[in-house]
């Protein structure tokens, strides 16, 4: 084990294209995705990743068909099954969710499930903190943090004080972000935390992504020179 903090984020993209390429329904692509989630989480544990954040459902995804949204509001079917939740608990993975929980469009059953997963996996010294961005948007997170800061103290005051109002409060800055499916954009994901993240884009569709792909991404990440705005020969500061 290592005491070094390592925060990896993944944009889960390509479920629909995976299904279309096989003549299947979009729902089939989503249902296949849970295999990728479990494989990546297990690899993160083996690689001593301390924080893993998955972009599962964005605030923009509400514009999809009613049928698709209805499935996505059942994350126990496509994100992590009850058996997987138990597996995470037993392997000291603390699962938390980031996003707008007060959105009236969220079914009560879905919010109850989110709370139950957080409670079941809660532990004092987790090996891995798995954060799921669900009903999440980066701009919305920042806008809501500004509103909360002004309501509670009349202003943010400092970066640290402002961060305490983010949905992602308590998480370190993202070190590495991987996006699957060949798209080259952030799509409103963790805009505050990504300020100096290394980016990797892969053509692999999310249902086909596995822990071995994450290991490869980590190998590439560790070969990069993170300059942090300094000259190439300078050492970068420790992650906060």
């Amino acid at each position: 084990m290592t005491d070094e903090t390592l925060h990896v984020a993944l944009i889960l993209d390509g479920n629909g294209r995976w299904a279309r390429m096989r003549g299947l329904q979009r729902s089939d692509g989503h249902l296949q995705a849970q295999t990728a989630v479990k494989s990546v989480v297990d690899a993160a544990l083996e690689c001593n990743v301390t924080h893993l954040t998955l972009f599962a459902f964005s605030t923009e995804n509400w514009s999809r068909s009613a049928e698709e949204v209805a499935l996505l509001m059942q994350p126990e079917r496509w994100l992590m099954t009850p058996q997987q939740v138990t597996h995470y608990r037993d392997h000291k993975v603390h699962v938390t969710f980031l996003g707008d929980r007060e959105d009236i469009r969220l079914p009560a059953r879905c919010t109850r499930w989110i709370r139950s997963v957080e409670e079941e996996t809660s532990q004092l010294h987790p090996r891995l903190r798995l954060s799921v961005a669900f009903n999440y948007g980066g701009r919305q997170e920042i806008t809501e943090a500004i509103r909360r800061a002004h309501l509670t103290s009349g202003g943010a005051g400092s970066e640290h004080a402002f961060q305490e109002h983010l949905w992602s409060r308590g998480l370190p800055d993202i070190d590495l972000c991987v996006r699957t499916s060949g798209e080259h954009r952030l799509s409103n994901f963790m805009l505050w935390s990504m300020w100096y993240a290394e980016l990797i884009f892969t053509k692999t569709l999310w249902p086909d992504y596995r822990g071995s792909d994450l290991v490869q991404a980590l190998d590439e990440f560790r070969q990069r020179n993170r300059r942090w705005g300094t000259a190439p020969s300078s050492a970068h500061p420790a992650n906060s």
Side-chain angles (χ1 to χ4, degrees):
M1 291 292 290
T2 175
D3 293 330
E4 179 186 2
T5 297
L6 180 59
H7 188 177
V8 178
L10 287 143
I11 301 175
L12 321 183
D13 194 15
N15 296 344
R17 273 166 285 176
W18 183 92
R20 186 171 63 250
M21 290 169 60
R22 290 160 176 77
L24 303 173
Q25 300 295 319
R26 288 181 63 86
S27 58
D28 295 311
H30 291 305
L31 294 173
Q32 182 67 25
Q34 63 178 271
T35 302
V37 172
K38 183 178 182 302
S39 181
V40 164
V41 172
D42 288 345
L45 285 167
E46 293 177 6
C47 294
N48 295 328
V49 173
T50 58
H51 296 77
L52 180 67
T53 298
L54 308 179
F55 198 9
F57 184 83
S58 77
T59 49
E60 288 76 34
N61 289 154
W62 290 106
S63 62
R64 297 188 176 184
S65 70
E67 180 182 10
E68 184 173 358
V69 169
L71 172 62
L72 295 173
M73 288 298 107
Q74 302 175 66
E76 71 279 6
R77 294 182 61 193
W78 64 271
L79 183 63
M80 57 184 78
T81 64
Q83 293 78 12
Q84 287 172 335
V85 173
T86 300
H87 174 78
Y88 297 152
R89 180 200 66 196
D90 293 345
H91 287 78
K92 298 188 180 300
V93 177
H94 183 193
V95 184
T96 59
F97 288 78
L98 314 175
D100 185 1
R101 302 192 190 190
E102 299 177 2
D103 193 328
I104 62 173
R105 295 172 294 183
L106 283 174
R109 174 185 45 75
C110 181
T111 55
R112 286 196 300 269
W113 179 85
I114 287 173
R115 288 195 299 270
S116 70
V117 171
E118 290 181 328
E119 291 170 1
E120 180 174 350
T121 62
S122 178
Q123 42 211 309
L124 287 177
H125 303 290
R127 291 175 57 199
L128 172 67
R129 178 168 175 180
L130 173 60
S131 302
V132 180
F134 194 89
N135 198 27
Y136 174 90
R139 284 189 172 187
Q140 291 84 342
E141 178 182 33
I142 293 170
T143 301
E144 179 64 15
I146 293 171
R147 185 185 70 84
R148 289 177 183 271
H150 281 278
L151 284 176
T152 58
S153 60
S158 67
E159 280 193 16
H160 177 74
F162 178 75
Q163 286 176 310
E164 292 302 306
H165 297 282
L166 293 169
W167 290 328
S168 55
R169 59 186 172 274
L171 293 180
D173 291 330
I174 292 170
D175 297 295
L176 168 66
C177 178
V178 179
R179 181 172 185 145
T180 61
S181 88
E183 301 294 342
H184 294 74
R185 58 180 180 272
L186 297 181
S187 295
N188 201 19
F189 180 49
M190 302 290 281
L191 300 179
W192 180 272
S193 303
M194 286 251 244
W195 72 300
Y196 254 100
E198 295 292 319
L199 306 177
I200 292 179
F201 302 99
T202 175
K203 293 183 179 180
T204 304
L205 302 175
W206 177 246
D208 291 328
Y209 199 85
R210 293 293 181 269
S212 57
D213 296 300
L214 179 62
V215 172
Q216 183 177 349
L218 287 168
D219 288 342
E220 179 179 340
F221 165 76
R222 287 167 174 143
Q223 292 172 14
R224 294 188 181 182
N225 180 12
R226 304 184 74 192
R227 299 181 183 177
W228 302 90
T230 64
S233 59
S234 301
H236 65 72
N239 245 357
S240 60

